[in-house]
Amino acid sequence: MGKKKNSRCNRKSRRDEEEGVQDDLQEEEYSGLVDEALDMICDASKSKRLGGLAALEKYLLYHAGNAEIEKHENTLESVLFGCLRRGKVEERCKAATVLGLIVFHYGINDFTEEILEKMERYAARILSDVQKDDYSELIRSTAIIYFVLCDNPSDTFEFMRLLLSVADKGKSDSQRENALRCWTFLLIDIASFNLGGPEFVEEALKVMHRYLFHTESGVRLAAGEAITMLYSQYGLASLNSYESQDTSKQDDEAKSGLELILGRMKDIEKNIGETTRKSKKDRTEQRGEFKEFLKIIDGESPKQSKISLPNGQTLIVDTFSRIVQLNMLRLFLGSGFQGHLLHNALMHEIFDFEPLEFEAERTNSDEKKVRNKERNEERRLSSALKSSMIL
């Protein structure tokens, strides 16, 4: 895993090298923005601190240069973990998002490895008590940090155990769903090590089978996704080895765990036994997702995801594991997803993808629109930040 992560994170794309001059020009344009954001984060006002964190988040989402971040590594580490240590829920979540973006932007180096080491402790401490507050954003960002940096599958495995505890004890259904989806996202990386053996698979299936009966459709979808990933990564034999321990129903005693799980998934796909009131849109989405899960478990290929890029290229994602990764990274990066897909070597490694070169003389209108949108967003951000400092 360590070798894979190093090759994934340290590889510098040809496009990065050729655009070094352009990055230097961008750094000059936005020089000082990180200084101003850090000043805001150190302010006594909570709104100023949140504004500074939001500025750093947008800077990392839309800006490709590294010089400003490299110049402030020690200060960034200090103030961001200070927010995790002393801040309330919103501040902690935003600080974790910024740390996750730094890691996703940088890959592996001494600075980010320190972030992982500290985040392991802070996340364990914060997520040990999730009955009062919703830490969905922090959970997702921490999962990204483990995904990019952690070269010890046992450490990732322990964090996945913590995620199941969050799903069990969490305050909200959204937090529960998010914990389960992050668990599945990390399962992709550790599955090749066969960590935990059959016992791990059996225990995970019991947990996910229980969540298939949850009242919230998002939680059921997350459980169905996890079961499908277990099947995809560990195979039918492992699923068949799971025997239900539920002795409350005589009819179920003779059934294998796989039959029970697939039976429940088919019921959900047909809306059988539903007692919760959902909109037609929710019912259609749930049926479609579970239909797709059952097709994959039955040996069919998943439905392809296609992403059109402003350079005219189309990325096709056609394996279930990469589709899950795609969905998680889209959620994490938001409107910065396409920019990272074009410029971030880590994204190229994940999806085995190399973007075509832009040709200045043949730049199409869609590309111009995307570039103008990113440039206007960065200018708006810089202007708003300077206004906040004046106030």
Side-chain angles (χ1 to χ4, degrees):
M1 190 172 194
K3 290 183 179 179
K4 180 185 70 171
K5 294 292 187 185
N6 280 309
S7 65
R8 175 190 286 172
C9 299
N10 291 338
R11 186 170 67 93
K12 191 172 184 180
S13 70
R14 185 171 63 255
R15 177 174 175 78
D16 289 337
E17 294 169 355
E18 292 174 352
E19 293 192 344
V21 174
Q22 181 180 346
D23 287 348
D24 290 341
L25 293 174
Q26 289 178 340
E27 289 295 349
E28 288 182 14
E29 183 178 355
Y30 299 104
S31 177
L33 189 147
V34 175
D35 283 293
E36 295 169 358
L38 286 170
D39 287 341
M40 292 178 70
I41 296 172
C42 294
D43 197 276
S45 166
K46 177 185 174 182
S47 61
K48 283 285 185 70
R49 293 197 303 273
L50 289 172
L53 290 168
L56 283 178
E57 179 183 0
K58 290 186 177 180
Y59 178 86
L60 288 161
L61 281 175
Y62 297 111
H63 185 56
N66 282 337
E68 282 291 293
I69 298 296
E70 290 173 349
K71 190 168 68 176
H72 297 88
E73 285 181 358
N74 293 333
T75 306
L76 279 165
E77 182 181 350
S78 175
V79 299
L80 291 173
F81 280 103
C83 291
L84 283 175
R85 185 169 58 253
R86 296 184 295 270
K88 300 297 183 183
V89 179
E90 187 178 4
E91 194 172 333
R92 284 174 165 180
C93 286
K94 283 298 176 189
T97 297
V98 173
L99 287 166
L101 286 167
I102 290 172
V103 166
F104 198 77
H105 193 72
Y106 262 113
I108 289 179
N109 61 25
D110 292 341
F111 174 43
T112 56
E113 286 183 341
E114 286 184 16
I115 289 176
L116 172 63
E117 184 179 340
K118 288 188 175 181
M119 202 64 189
E120 286 176 338
R121 300 197 303 270
Y122 278 81
R125 189 181 309 153
I126 293 170
L127 298 179
S128 62
D129 184 12
V130 290
Q131 294 176 322
K132 297 179 182 178
D133 302 300
D134 189 338
Y135 282 104
S136 293
E137 190 176 348
L138 184 144
I139 292 168
R140 184 163 54 247
S141 301
T142 307
I144 293 291
I145 291 172
Y146 270 88
F147 170 72
V148 175
L149 296 178
C150 190
D151 58 1
N152 185 343
S154 296
D155 290 343
T156 303
F157 191 66
E158 285 305 309
F159 180 64
M160 289 171 67
R161 288 185 184 276
L162 178 60
L163 290 176
L164 291 184
S165 175
V166 170
D168 184 48
K169 302 175 183 176
K171 175 185 178 182
S172 67
D173 288 335
S174 63
Q175 183 169 250
R176 189 168 290 108
E177 176 188 350
N178 191 60
L180 293 177
R181 291 194 184 277
C182 288
W183 184 93
T184 305
F185 175 69
L186 293 175
L187 176 67
I188 299 166
D189 258 6
I190 71 156
S192 60
F193 293 90
N194 200 27
L195 220 59
E199 294 82 6
F200 162 70
V201 177
E202 291 171 12
E203 187 60 34
L205 285 169
K206 291 177 187 177
V207 172
M208 300 307 165
H209 184 201
R210 175 162 52 88
Y211 284 122
L212 288 177
F213 292 88
H214 198 275
T215 55
E216 176 59 40
S217 62
V219 176
R220 292 197 294 271
L221 285 168
E225 181 179 81
I227 290 165
T228 308
M229 187 61 70
L230 282 164
Y231 172 82
S232 175
Q233 297 294 317
Y234 287 91
L236 183 61
S238 295
L239 285 180
N240 273 326
S241 70
Y242 162 51
E243 296 295 329
S244 174
Q245 301 300 311
D246 184 3
T247 59
S248 61
K249 296 182 180 180
Q250 296 297 320
D251 291 342
D252 290 344
E253 289 181 350
K255 291 185 178 181
S256 71
L258 179 61
E259 288 176 320
L260 288 171
I261 290 171
L262 294 183
R264 175 56 184 161
M265 291 177 74
K266 289 174 182 176
D267 285 347
I268 296 175
E269 189 263 332
K270 296 175 182 177
N271 283 326
I272 296 175
E274 286 295 323
T275 58
T276 55
R277 298 177 67 180
K278 298 192 299 293
S279 67
K280 183 177 180 180
K281 180 181 177 182
D282 287 341
R283 290 197 302 271
T284 301
E285 178 187 0
Q286 181 173 264
R287 290 186 64 180
E289 290 287 348
F290 274 92
K291 183 177 181 179
E292 186 72 10
F293 294 154
L294 289 165
K295 282 171 56 180
I296 295 168
I297 290 175
D298 203 35
E300 296 185 37
S301 298
K303 183 179 179 181
Q304 292 181 341
S305 286
K306 297 181 180 181
I307 301 98
S308 297
L309 298 172
N311 64 354
Q313 197 172 5
T314 300
L315 171 64
I316 298 176
V317 181
D318 57 4
T319 67
F320 185 61
S321 59
R322 282 185 175 172
I323 289 171
V324 169
Q325 290 174 329
L326 174 69
N327 292 338
M328 179 60 68
L329 294 175
R330 269 179 164 166
L331 189 61
F332 177 65
L333 295 170
S335 57
F337 175 81
Q338 287 231 350
H340 277 265
L341 193 56
L342 282 172
H343 303 294
N344 192 327
L346 172 57
M347 293 283 271
H348 307 161
E349 190 76 18
I350 293 169
F351 297 110
D352 191 20
F353 166 74
E354 189 69 37
L356 298 174
E357 300 299 328
F358 283 94
E359 296 183 28
E361 298 178 357
R362 299 171 62 184
T363 302
N364 59 42
S365 60
D366 288 339
E367 178 191 333
K368 287 181 180 178
K369 288 178 183 178
V370 171
R371 286 184 172 180
N372 287 337
K373 182 179 178 181
E374 291 180 353
R375 190 178 296 114
N376 290 337
E377 176 64 25
E378 289 175 332
R379 286 172 178 166
R380 188 197 66 76
L381 170 63
S382 180
S383 176
L385 186 57
K386 288 176 182 176
S387 299
S388 298
M389 292 298 295
I390 293 172
L391 293 174

